[in-house]
Amino acid sequence: MKLTGDTHIGLVRSSNQDALRYGTLDNDGYYAVVCDGMGGANGGNVASDIAVDIISGRIVDGYANGAALRPDHLLASAMAAANIEIFDQAISNPQCEGMGTTVVAVVVFGKNAYISHVGDSRVYLYRGNTLQQITRDHSVVQEMIESGQLTEEQARSHPRKHFITRALGVSAMEEGEFDELELEPNDKLLLCTDGLTNMVDDTVLSELLGNDAGIDILIQSALDGGGTDNITAVLMEQSE
């Protein structure tokens, strides 16, 4: 599996509150974590950094020395640990009051991909010229789509499209939503923040991935679309 990733401040923000981490694991595994912080320049940066550090650390340590833990249990534990640390720091530090972060975390062993997420950062699967969103946004507009109040097209320009309903660190208890899928040769998993998806629609994303676009091209496409937010993406490409 090939892993690439990067982040960009965008063209409007004064700081980058996104964070990412990816790498290899013992037992021939791979992992990636992407976060989008919220709560002001200080709080957002702190929350996303805490989440990336704790979740990636738990994943790496959990599979060190050939350990064979259940990925769903490990990801749940990692999410819970990050959540309580962010929550505690938000309470103890007035400058970080109200901070939180979205997160998507992926662990891959062989053909099996295990995914946990909170918020509206996403994981996509690109397979056979088709792009599929694997994660479900925890957002106000997603709930409105599911209730029939909005169409997908209307949601893209809705004034509340940035309002998320779940995030790490906002409450004392938060659990990631878990998904599992079986990968096929040449599959691509794209982890990204809404700084990419709000600027580049799914049709264009699919075309770019079909043309073997790298992370730099994906980020440039978001910048060309306006770059109104921080942009972060990780691409996990399965071997033939």
Side-chain angles (χ1 to χ4, degrees):
M1 172 167 274
K2 178 183 177 183
L3 277 69
T4 53
D6 203 356
T7 186
H8 194 288
I9 194 173
L11 303 176
V12 175
R13 303 289 188 182
S14 59
S15 64
N16 192 343
Q17 299 182 53
D18 288 358
L20 75 159
R21 193 80 51 82
Y22 57 90
T24 59
L25 301 168
D26 288 351
N27 298 345
D28 297 321
Y30 303 85
Y31 77 94
V33 183
V34 167
C35 295
D36 181 357
M38 63 183 193
N42 293 328
N45 293 343
V46 173
S48 60
D49 285 345
I50 290 172
V52 161
D53 286 344
I54 290 179
I55 294 170
S56 61
R58 288 287 185 111
I59 292 172
V60 171
D61 292 345
Y63 292 107
N65 302 316
L69 303 178
R70 281 185 51 170
D72 56 340
H73 289 176
L74 178 62
L75 287 170
S77 174
M79 290 283 193
N83 180 74
I84 196 63
E85 179 64 22
I86 297 168
F87 182 75
D88 286 348
Q89 289 208 29
I91 291 175
S92 61
N93 185 348
Q95 292 185 332
C96 294
E97 182 179 0
M99 73 176 177
T101 185
T102 71
V103 59
V104 286
V106 177
V107 173
V108 175
F109 286 107
K111 296 181 179 180
N112 299 310
Y114 308 95
I115 301 163
S116 185
H117 84 287
V118 177
D120 63 354
S121 292
R122 296 177 177 177
V123 175
Y124 287 91
L125 170 66
Y126 182 80
R127 173 185 292 167
N129 299 319
T130 299
L131 185 71
Q132 176 187 358
Q133 183 178 332
I134 301 300
T135 53
R136 170 187 172 273
D137 291 353
H138 299 141
S139 67
V140 170
V141 295
Q142 181 62 37
E143 293 180 352
M144 295 175 73
I145 291 170
E146 293 174 358
S147 66
Q149 299 177 63
L150 287 178
T151 65
E152 295 277 358
E153 183 61 30
Q154 291 170 332
R156 289 192 61 82
S157 58
H158 195 276
R160 300 183 72 187
K161 69 178 182 178
H162 299 297
F163 289 24
I164 59 176
T165 56
R166 294 173 59 185
L168 289 187
V170 174
S171 62
M173 295 185 65
E174 180 61 78
E175 296 180 355
E177 184 172 335
F178 183 78
D179 295 280
E180 181 178 348
L181 60 91
E182 185 172 319
L183 299 176
E184 297 179 1
N186 299 313
D187 277 354
K188 298 178 182 180
L189 291 176
L190 173 65
L191 295 73
C192 59
T193 60
D194 65 351
L196 177 66
T197 55
N198 284 336
M199 297 293 101
V200 185
D201 67 30
D202 288 2
T203 300
V204 175
L205 272 181
S206 183
E207 292 175 355
L208 291 172
L209 292 173
N211 291 324
D212 292 325
I215 291 295
D216 57 339
I217 295 177
L218 296 179
I219 290 178
Q220 186 59 53
S221 183
L223 294 172
D224 292 343
T228 59
D229 200 353
N230 308 144
I231 308 156
T232 302
V234 173
L235 196 56
M236 309 177 79
E237 303 177 70
Q238 185 75 325
S239 303
E240 296 184 5

